[in-house]
Amino acid sequence: MNLLQRYIIQFYSFLLKDNANGLSIAFFCKSLYAFLFLKVIFSWPVLQKIVLYSDSVFWDQYKLQAFFIVILISLLVGLVVRVNYLVSTIIFLLSFFLSRWSKPITNGSDLVLNLFLFISIFFSGRAAFQNEIQQVLSNAAMLFCRVQLALIYLLSGFDKLRSVAWRSGDAIFSTINLRYFFDPLLDIEVSKTWFMLAGRGIIIFELAFAFLIWVPKFRVPLLWMGVAFHLVIIFLLNLPDFGLLMILTYGIFIPVREEKRISGKIKIS
Amino acid sequence: MKKFSNILFLAFGLHLLISFLFILSPVSLGKTRVSRIYLTYLLPGPFFSEARIVNSDIFSVSWKINEQWSVPIDPGWEYFKRYQENHNPTDLYESRLARTLYERLQMHVLAEDEILKGKPFLALRKYLDDYYIPNGADSIKISRIRQKAKDFVISMDTLNVISFK
């Protein structure tokens, strides 16, 4: 059996898994909803200012209040009820709309959030699948989330690998001197060797994550390393939204009980 | 169902192929609208790329009242420091908004008269009037300093100043 055939078999076996992973999906989706809920609450005073200081003719304070109520209610419903297509779609659309409108205060976390909220539309939150389409769609969405997370790390890791500044550690020096990001009270004075080690360590971690996350024995250690990496981003680079969201997306990789395989259904012609 | 699974398999394969092309050679698929949408929404990142971490623009505003210039303030920085003290994310969002209002002026690109005629200037002016500049100020000055952190050295790269009444 060649490599391609093996991948095809693995792909089909994943799509045809009959364990709906309801808990795992609920944990993943609801953590994203909770994140968005907190983001709306904390950014609300600033969103009102964005309307005041932008030349938007669409928004006024009444529409703004209505949007605020609708998004919070949708998120509360999403947090309480079982994950379903309708609520997931509404939440994705509201989040997409919100990030378009709040562009002055958005960052990479908003793009990542919207990507995963979009994919989560196809999740089935039921304990058991009702039909084969639901089963294949939900499993494909889960696989797609995992692939996307790995690709995000691969893109960042490869970009850094190409960068002389990242390989030499100069980029770490640049990062800790970024105004409005790095804690101004912290004074880090280390040799260039340490900067280089940190820069290369980050490159190795990001590239390793993209590939080794698929190997079960490396998964848990990589997730813990990722949590530590993003905690540094939260506390030293003052990007709580980005760091927290990346940690939450790990939910899609949290090992669940070995699912029942239906290998008998797989036939490769 | 098999047909549907086959379509999904092909879609996955195509997506992976396009993504690898973008990752390995970002310019290979050109700068079309489709590639921009793909990169923005399907392949977010790369984060902390070299081009984005070298420069920091430092903005400040001061005003003249009773023939005396005030101490320059940087609203974005003030909010950022406040976040350091209380860890309220709202202050971070405030800081980002203040910085964006300044950055939209494009002081490093546009001439002073172009800046003063633009909508971003009106928005910033309104923001400063509402929160910072006291009544009776007869002149206002906005400055931008580019801080560059490269080759393990920090330098002040450029300086732009605009003044208006």
Side-chain angles (χ1 to χ4, degrees), chain B residues 67-106:
Chain B
E67 295 305 310
Q68 283 224 314
W69 282 100
S70 68
V71 175
I73 58 154
D74 174 356
W77 184 245
E78 299 300 321
Y79 278 117
F80 181 72
K81 280 195 297 189
R82 205 184 293 177
Y83 172 75
Q84 294 289 328
E85 286 158 17
N86 59 24
H87 293 100
N88 178 357
T90 304
D91 289 325
L92 265 190
Y93 292 126
E94 292 274 12
S95 172
R96 288 180 199 166
L97 174 64
R99 272 152 46 207
T100 305
L101 289 172
Y102 281 106
E103 281 163 6
R104 280 182 178 171
L105 295 183
Q106 293 192 285

Side-chain angles (χ1 to χ4, degrees), chain A residues 30-47:
Chain A
K30 286 169 196 277
S31 64
L32 296 185
Y33 299 162
F35 173 85
L36 183 56
F37 186 88
L38 290 176
K39 186 185 160 72
V40 173
I41 295 286
F42 282 118
S43 63
W44 190 248
V46 189
L47 294 173

Side-chain angles (χ1 to χ4, degrees), chain A residues 12 42 53 148 163 174 180, chain B residues 6 15 42 50 74 90 130 149:
Chain A
Y12 283 87
F42 282 118
Y53 303 111
Q148 286 307 109
S163 154
S174 300
Y180 311 107
Chain B
N6 287 342
H15 172 60
L42 274 174
E50 191 181 332
D74 174 356
T90 304
D130 286 352

Side-chain angles (χ1 to χ4, degrees), chain A residues 170-201:
Chain A
D170 187 27
I172 301 286
F173 175 80
S174 300
T175 306
I176 64 172
N177 284 293
L178 268 177
R179 194 170 156 100
Y180 311 107
F181 286 91
F182 202 76
D183 188 341
L185 300 174
L186 279 175
D187 187 19
I188 296 183
E189 281 188 31
V190 291
S191 69
K192 287 181 184 177
T193 311
W194 283 105
F195 281 127
M196 186 189 72
L197 287 174
R200 292 187 182 189

Side-chain angles (χ1 to χ4, degrees), chain A residues 4 7-8 11-12 15 39 41-43 45-46 49-50 52-55 96 100 104-108 111-112 115 132-133 136-137 140 143-144 147-148 151-152 154-156 158-160 162-166 168-171 173-175 177-184 192 195 233-234 237-242 267 269, chain B residues 1-2 4-10 12 15-16 19-20 22-26 39-50 52-59 74 76-77 79-81 83-84 87-97 99-101 104 119 123-124 126-128 130-131 147 149-154:
Chain A
L4 181 66
Y7 282 136
I8 292 172
F11 179 79
Y12 283 87
L15 292 196
K39 186 185 160 72
I41 295 286
F42 282 118
S43 63
V46 189
K49 285 186 183 175
I50 291 175
L52 273 177
Y53 303 111
S54 71
D55 46 5
F96 184 77
R100 297 276 298 174
I105 59 166
T106 58
N107 60 20
L111 294 173
V112 175
L115 173 66
E132 269 198 325
I133 289 190
V136 169
L137 262 183
L143 183 61
F144 194 46
V147 167
Q148 286 307 109
L151 284 175
I152 287 170
L154 184 63
L155 175 63
S156 278
F158 200 76
D159 178 73
K160 290 180 177 72
R162 265 201 301 251
S163 154
V164 178
W166 271 100
S168 69
D170 187 27
F173 175 80
S174 300
T175 306
N177 284 293
L178 268 177
R179 194 170 156 100
Y180 311 107
F181 286 91
F182 202 76
D183 188 341
K192 287 181 184 177
F195 281 127
I233 289 179
I234 290 172
L237 281 178
N238 294 292
L239 283 168
D241 41 3
F242 181 75
K267 280 181 188 163
S269 53
Chain B
M1 186 46 57
K2 198 179 170 195
F4 184 55
S5 301
N6 287 342
I7 292 169
L8 279 177
F9 183 76
L10 285 176
F12 260 88
H15 172 60
L16 281 177
S19 299
F20 279 122
F22 274 126
I23 290 168
L24 298 176
S25 173
L39 281 173
T40 307
Y41 296 111
L42 274 174
L43 203 55
F47 301 113
F48 296 99
S49 61
E50 191 181 332
R52 288 168 176 241
I53 55 176
V54 171
N55 297 318
S56 302
D57 282 347
I58 302 166
F59 294 97
D74 174 356
W77 184 245
Y79 278 117
F80 181 72
K81 280 195 297 189
Y83 172 75
Q84 294 289 328
H87 293 100
N88 178 357
T90 304
D91 289 325
L92 265 190
Y93 292 126
E94 292 274 12
S95 172
R96 288 180 199 166
L97 174 64
R99 272 152 46 207
T100 305
L101 289 172
R104 280 182 178 171
K119 280 182 181 172
L124 177 64
K126 188 169 186 303
Y127 174 78
L128 293 174
D130 286 352
Y131 294 99
Q147 177 191 284
K150 196 170 168 58
D151 300 327
F152 299 99
V153 176
I154 299 173

Side-chain angles (χ1 to χ4, degrees), chain A residues 103-117:
Chain A
K103 232 172 183 174
I105 59 166
T106 58
N107 60 20
S109 69
D110 296 83
L111 294 173
V112 175
L113 176 67
N114 287 337
L115 173 66
F116 286 109
L117 285 177

